[in-house]
């Protein structure tokens, strides 16, 4: 530990000894003093399996949200975002104006982002 480090870092490191999922690095510590005590920043270990599980859950939410889109909105979203079709091509295929394609895509993106933001 750095000799000039805040004493709270040493206390925090002592409290975390043997805790395999928590770590404090003295040279990277962020210190915030309050009247009640001192906050010392630390690191929390997250296993790859937990991240994969989180990604799988987000993908499932996304698939369900896409399936729940109104038919035309879903068709525009899939044509543009999955197939890579340009707005004019989508408009011709679905007998829409380009502005309608843009509105449908904006609507889809809003709905999907809200679905992914839900906890």
């Amino acid at each position: 530990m750095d000799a000039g480090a805040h004493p709270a870092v040493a206390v925090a490191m002592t409290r975390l000894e043997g805790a395999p999922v928590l770590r404090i690095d003295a040279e990277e510590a962020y210190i915030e003093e309050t009247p009640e005590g001192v906050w010392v920043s630390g690191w929390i270990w997250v296993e790859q399996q937990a991240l994969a599980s989180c990604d799988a859950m987000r993908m499932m939410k996304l698939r369900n949200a896409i399936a729940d889109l109104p038919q035309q909105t879903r068709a525009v979203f899939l044509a543009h975002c999955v197939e890579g079709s340009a707005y004019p091509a989508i408009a011709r295929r679905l007998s829409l104006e380009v502005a309608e394609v843009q509105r449908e895509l904006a609507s889809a993106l809003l709905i999907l982002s809200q679905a992914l933001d839900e906890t």
Side-chain angles (χ1 to χ4, degrees):
M1 185 176 81
D2 182 352
H6 195 286
V9 173
V11 172
M13 291 174 93
T14 302
R15 285 186 177 178
L16 296 179
E17 282 179 13
V21 297
L22 301 170
R23 183 180 84 202
I24 293 178
D25 295 323
E27 63 276 359
E28 295 180 20
Y30 169 76
I31 307 297
E32 181 183 333
E33 294 191 38
T34 70
E36 297 81 27
V38 180
W39 286 100
V40 178
S41 66
W43 296 87
I44 296 176
W45 177 257
V46 178
E47 295 84 6
Q48 287 296 332
Q49 181 180 359
L51 293 174
S53 169
C54 182
D55 288 345
M57 287 173 44
R58 285 183 60 81
M59 285 304 296
M60 185 177 68
K61 275 178 116 174
L62 180 59
R63 282 189 199 103
N64 290 339
I66 291 170
D68 290 343
L69 289 172
Q71 183 179 5
Q72 183 168 288
T73 306
R74 184 174 56 249
V76 168
F77 173 80
L78 293 174
H80 184 70
C81 295
V82 176
E83 298 169 13
S85 298
Y87 296 155
I90 298 168
R92 280 191 303 278
R93 184 185 332 163
L94 299 176
S95 300
L96 300 171
E97 296 293 325
V98 171
E100 290 176 281
V101 169
Q102 292 170 327
R103 280 192 295 275
E104 292 289 355
L105 182 58
S107 176
L109 293 174
L110 178 62
I111 292 167
L112 297 176
S113 69
Q114 288 172 340
L116 290 175
D117 286 343
E118 291 176 357
T119 55

